[in-house]
């Protein structure tokens, strides 16, 4: 698949499903993902991280019709999304960041006892479908991963990206980032 085809396919999911409700939150899918990308940009992260923040929940879009988490999105959306992005030609780093945003949630519920209480109702409900709180062994392994720190940032952006009345990013900006990454 050419970079142009990949961009058309990936961003086509947002054009087709982006205005859908973001599973129990007060924003749409596109608003949520746009806000996550904006938070990454505001912190000065590179294009790969910004796009990973934007794409972090793409598994809910590309996994339409797959098993769901009791009405709160697609089971294993993090893996479905990461695999979808790999097939589209995106880097392993970007795909792993998409996959790890759920691992970061599981890690934070293990390492910060008050984190669970700060999660939205939808995030609490989905945790069980996502493997639950990490074990100490899983947490130690996750802490050794080179993407550990940025994965934790992505998780925080994911939690913050639920504000109403925030304008959606110009998708042309994100498409240009994607074109640069796919051409590299």
């Amino acid at each position: 698949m050419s970079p142009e085809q990949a961009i058309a396919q990936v961003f086509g999911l947002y054009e087709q499903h982006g205005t859908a409700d973001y599973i129990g939150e007060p924003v749409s899918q596109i608003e949520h993902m746009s806000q996550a990308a904006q938070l990454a940009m505001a912190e000065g992260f590179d294009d790969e991280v910004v796009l990973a923040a934007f794409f972090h929940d793409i598994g809910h879009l590309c996994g339409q019709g797959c098993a769901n988490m009791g009405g709160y999105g697609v089971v294993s959306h993090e893996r479905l999304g990461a695999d979808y992005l790999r097939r589209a030609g995106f880097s392993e780093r970007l795909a792993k960041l998409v996959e790890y945003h759920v691992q970061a949630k599981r890690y934070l519920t293990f390492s910060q006892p008050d984190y669970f209480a700060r999660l939205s109702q939808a995030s609490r409900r989905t945790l069980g479908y996502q493997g639950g709180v990490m074990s100490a062994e899983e947490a130690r392994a996750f802490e050794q991963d080179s993407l550990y720190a940025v994965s934790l940032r992505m998780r925080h952006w994911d939690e913050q990206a639920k504000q109403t009345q925030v304008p959606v990013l110009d998708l042309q900006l994100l498409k240009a980032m994607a074109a640069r990454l796919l051409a590299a």
Side-chain angles (χ1 to χ4, degrees):
M1 165 179 340
S2 74
E4 294 79 18
Q5 291 170 316
I7 291 166
Q9 183 181 61
V10 170
F11 284 90
L13 288 173
Y14 292 90
E15 292 158 6
Q16 186 176 5
H17 304 292
T19 58
D21 175 55
Y22 176 62
I23 23 177
E25 303 290 357
V27 293
S28 69
Q29 293 277 355
I30 190 79
E31 288 170 325
H32 173 65
M33 293 193 241
S34 172
Q35 287 178 38
Q38 289 176 61
L39 290 164
M41 291 170 78
E43 290 188 28
F45 279 89
D46 61 66
D47 289 356
E48 230 172 16
V49 173
V50 170
L51 281 177
F54 183 74
F55 292 147
H56 78 275
D57 277 339
I58 198 168
H60 291 305
L61 305 181
C62 70
Q64 298 280 318
C66 294
N68 77 60
M69 298 181 285
Y72 288 95
V74 176
V75 172
S76 300
H77 77 283
E78 71 281 9
R79 282 191 289 281
L80 289 170
D83 289 343
Y84 177 82
L85 293 166
R86 285 179 184 106
R87 287 191 304 274
F90 287 96
S91 72
E92 186 61 19
R93 178 177 178 242
L94 186 149
K96 279 188 175 180
L97 287 170
V98 167
E99 191 165 351
Y100 285 3
H101 83 280
V102 167
Q103 296 306 317
K105 174 178 159 182
R106 295 183 61 229
Y107 173 83
L108 289 167
T109 55
F110 165 80
S111 66
Q112 297 179 9
D114 64 332
Y115 182 75
F116 181 82
R118 295 192 319 256
L119 289 173
S120 69
Q121 185 62 33
S123 288
R124 289 182 200 167
R125 294 280 304 270
T126 58
L127 182 62
Y129 289 97
Q130 297 166 332
V133 176
M134 271 190 178
S135 67
E137 184 178 320
E138 288 173 315
R140 280 192 299 276
F142 187 59
E143 290 167 346
Q144 301 308 308
D145 195 288
S146 63
L147 297 175
Y148 161 77
V150 72
S151 296
L152 296 183
R153 289 304 313 137
M154 279 195 49
R155 185 67 217 172
H156 289 295
W157 302 328
D158 188 6
E159 292 302 325
Q160 294 170 353
K162 299 172 184 177
Q163 306 300 314
T164 59
Q165 308 302 316
V166 175
V168 172
L169 275 172
D170 179 356
L171 292 187
Q172 292 307 316
L173 172 72
L174 297 171
K175 287 178 181 181
M177 282 183 190
R180 285 192 299 275
L181 291 177
L182 290 170

